[in-house]
């Protein structure tokens, strides 16, 4: 996915707008912690693992994987509607070309499969909120949290999953994870993928800056996870590290906010350069041509060009 940063919010305020909890959560310094958490957890889904592993790109450039996925989520959360629709259609079209046999179940996989898309979507939105709560200002108000999950369901309309399957409460999210837990697993390829995202080596094309940054972020990402996930993913860490990283992370996030997010903008290229460009445009706060929000249905009717057979073939 290519991204022209000058188009981030040229047309409108996107789906949510400046007063939305989505804008607040997805542009906070904690979002990069949450998203590293999300792209590592994705590999618990065997079908996603097969899809990512068969391309093999993650092993040559893990930063690109994190950056492009993070960029997509940011565009949907804070970009204008034409940019979000184009990004969504581009991603679905790429996914439609990738299919194969998942070796654990022997079933055919597709990255556009609604169950896989729902897992990716919810791990992303849940993880950035979890990091915000643990390392940022803390929990949202009840009203803001309810709105956040409603916005999560709206964002799901850009993927192949059914927005009606998106939980609207914290309890509903927990029920979803409890429901899918029996089908989560790890294989050698899944473990390789997780550890690439958390503990990547500079030998894998990402360079020393990303390797060091990823490992530092990993201590915070792992601290947000339940014990069973740590054991299953074989990336547990000492509890004393959890105890130390939480106050340290809060202090660093507080320091970043002193620079009105510009500290994050300076650091972002080391981890996710494309996402950094998106955040840089966001910080400029330039008014769009139409300072209003639109629904995904309105945006798709106005800007959508993708043949709907890509979506119908996802199942």
């Amino acid at each position: 996915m290519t991204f022209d940063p000058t188009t981030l919010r040229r047309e409108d305020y996107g789906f949510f707008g400046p007063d939305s909890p989505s804008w607040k959560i997805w542009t906070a310094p904690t979002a990069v912690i949450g998203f590293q958490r999300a792209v590592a957890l994705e590999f618990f889904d065997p079908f996603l693992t097969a899809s990512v592993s068969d391309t093999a790109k993650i092993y040559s450039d893990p930063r690109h994987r994190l950056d492009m996925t993070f960029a997509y989520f940011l565009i949907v959360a804070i970009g204008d509607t034409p940019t979000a629709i184009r990004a969504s259609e581009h991603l679905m079209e790429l996914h439609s070309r990738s299919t194969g046999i998942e070796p654990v179940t022997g079933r055919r996989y597709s990255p556009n499969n609604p169950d896989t898309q729902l897992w990716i979507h919810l791990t992303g939105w849940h993880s950035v909120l979890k990091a915000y709560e643990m390392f940022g200002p803390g929990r949202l108000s009840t009203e803001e949290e309810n709105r956040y999950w409603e916005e999560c369901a709206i964002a799901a309309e850009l993927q192949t999953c059914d927005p009606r399957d998106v939980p609207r409460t914290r309890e509903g999210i927990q029920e979803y994870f409890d429901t899918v837990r029996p089908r989560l697993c790890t294989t050698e390829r899944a473990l390789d993928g997780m550890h690439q995202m958390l503990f990547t080596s500079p030998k894998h094309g990402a360079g020393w800056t990303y390797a060091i940054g990823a490992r530092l972020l990993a201590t915070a990402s792992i601290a947000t996870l339940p014990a069973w996930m740590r054991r299953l993913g074989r990336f547990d860490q000492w509890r004393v590290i959890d105890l130390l990283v939480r106050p340290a992370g809060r202090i660093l996030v507080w320091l970043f906010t002193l620079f009105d997010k510009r500290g994050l903008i300076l650091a972002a290229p080391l981890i996710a350069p494309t996402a950094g460009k998106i955040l840089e445009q966001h910080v400029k706060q330039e008014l769009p041509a139409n300072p209003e929000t639109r629904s995904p249905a309105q945006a798709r009717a106005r800007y959508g060009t993708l043949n709907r057979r890509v979506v119908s073939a996802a199942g």
Side-chain angles (χ1 to χ4, degrees):
M1 177 174 60
T2 58
F3 170 70
D4 177 2
T6 64
T7 67
L8 176 67
R9 224 158 27 238
R10 178 181 293 172
E11 177 61 29
D12 54 37
Y13 274 138
F15 304 118
F16 310 122
D19 66 338
S20 66
S22 293
W23 276 36
K24 179 164 67 174
I25 301 298
W26 280 98
T27 63
T30 52
V32 69
I33 301 172
F35 211 74
Q36 186 200 44
R37 178 191 198 267
V39 293
L41 294 188
E42 287 178 358
F43 288 92
F44 283 125
D45 183 312
F47 297 99
L48 183 136
T49 292
S51 173
V52 173
S53 298
D54 283 354
T55 66
K57 291 180 181 178
I58 185 175
Y59 304 110
S60 60
D61 192 355
R63 177 167 66 175
H64 184 75
R65 164 74 181 176
L66 183 145
D67 189 25
M68 291 296 97
T69 311
F70 192 15
Y72 170 76
F73 274 79
L74 280 174
I75 288 170
V76 172
I78 66 173
D80 67 8
T81 57
T83 305
I85 291 296
R86 285 196 298 269
S88 169
E89 294 188 342
H90 175 73
L91 188 62
M92 285 194 291
E93 191 171 20
L94 285 179
H95 285 171
S96 69
R97 304 172 193 166
S98 175
T99 186
I101 300 299
E102 196 285 307
V104 174
T105 63
R107 292 164 53 192
R108 182 166 293 278
Y109 70 77
S110 166
N112 275 337
N113 179 277
D115 290 337
T116 297
Q117 286 289 301
L118 183 62
W119 169 251
I120 294 170
H121 185 68
L122 290 182
T123 53
W125 280 72
H126 175 263
S127 291
V128 294
L129 178 60
K130 182 73 174 179
Y132 183 88
E133 291 177 339
M134 184 172 289
F135 299 107
R139 289 186 64 159
L140 301 175
S141 67
T142 301
E143 181 182 356
E144 278 191 311
E145 185 171 336
N146 290 340
R147 185 176 171 187
Y148 180 78
W149 292 119
E150 288 294 335
E151 291 170 355
C152 174
I154 291 171
E157 294 183 40
L158 273 71
Q159 297 174 239
T160 60
C161 49
D162 189 335
R164 292 173 297 183
D165 293 334
V166 177
R168 303 305 204 275
T169 64
R170 180 182 297 265
E171 294 74 22
I173 291 291
Q174 187 57 55
E175 288 176 9
Y176 167 79
F177 286 125
D178 290 341
T179 299
V180 300
R181 181 174 174 177
R183 67 178 174 85
L184 303 182
C185 66
T186 54
T187 61
E188 184 176 349
R189 295 198 299 178
L191 292 172
D192 284 346
M194 291 177 188
H195 288 234
Q196 281 282 359
M197 303 315 300
L198 295 170
F199 313 117
T200 188
S201 165
K203 298 178 181 179
H204 291 115
W208 281 100
T209 55
Y210 175 78
I212 294 171
R215 286 173 180 252
L216 290 174
L217 285 175
T219 61
S221 299
I222 294 169
T224 68
L225 292 170
W228 72 266
M229 281 188 171
R230 300 183 190 205
R231 292 192 297 269
L232 188 59
R234 300 181 191 176
F235 48 65
D236 204 358
Q237 64 189 14
W238 292 341
R239 295 300 179 267
V240 67
I241 296 178
D242 293 347
L243 295 174
L244 292 174
V245 76
R246 293 184 186 189
R250 282 185 171 273
I251 291 171
L252 285 174
V253 168
W254 175 75
L255 289 173
F256 278 132
T257 59
L258 290 181
F259 292 95
D260 192 26
K261 297 188 179 70
R262 285 173 176 79
L264 176 62
I265 303 307
L266 293 174
L270 302 178
I271 302 296
T274 304
K277 292 178 182 178
I278 294 171
L279 290 168
E280 184 176 9
Q281 286 298 306
H282 171 76
V283 167
K284 290 182 178 180
Q285 298 181 341
E286 296 179 356
L287 287 175
N290 301 292
E292 60 187 18
T293 60
R294 294 189 173 104
S295 71
Q298 291 170 329
R300 189 173 289 112
R302 184 177 296 221
Y303 305 111
T305 59
L306 186 64
N307 190 315
R308 296 295 77 169
R309 286 180 297 177
V310 172
V311 181
S312 64

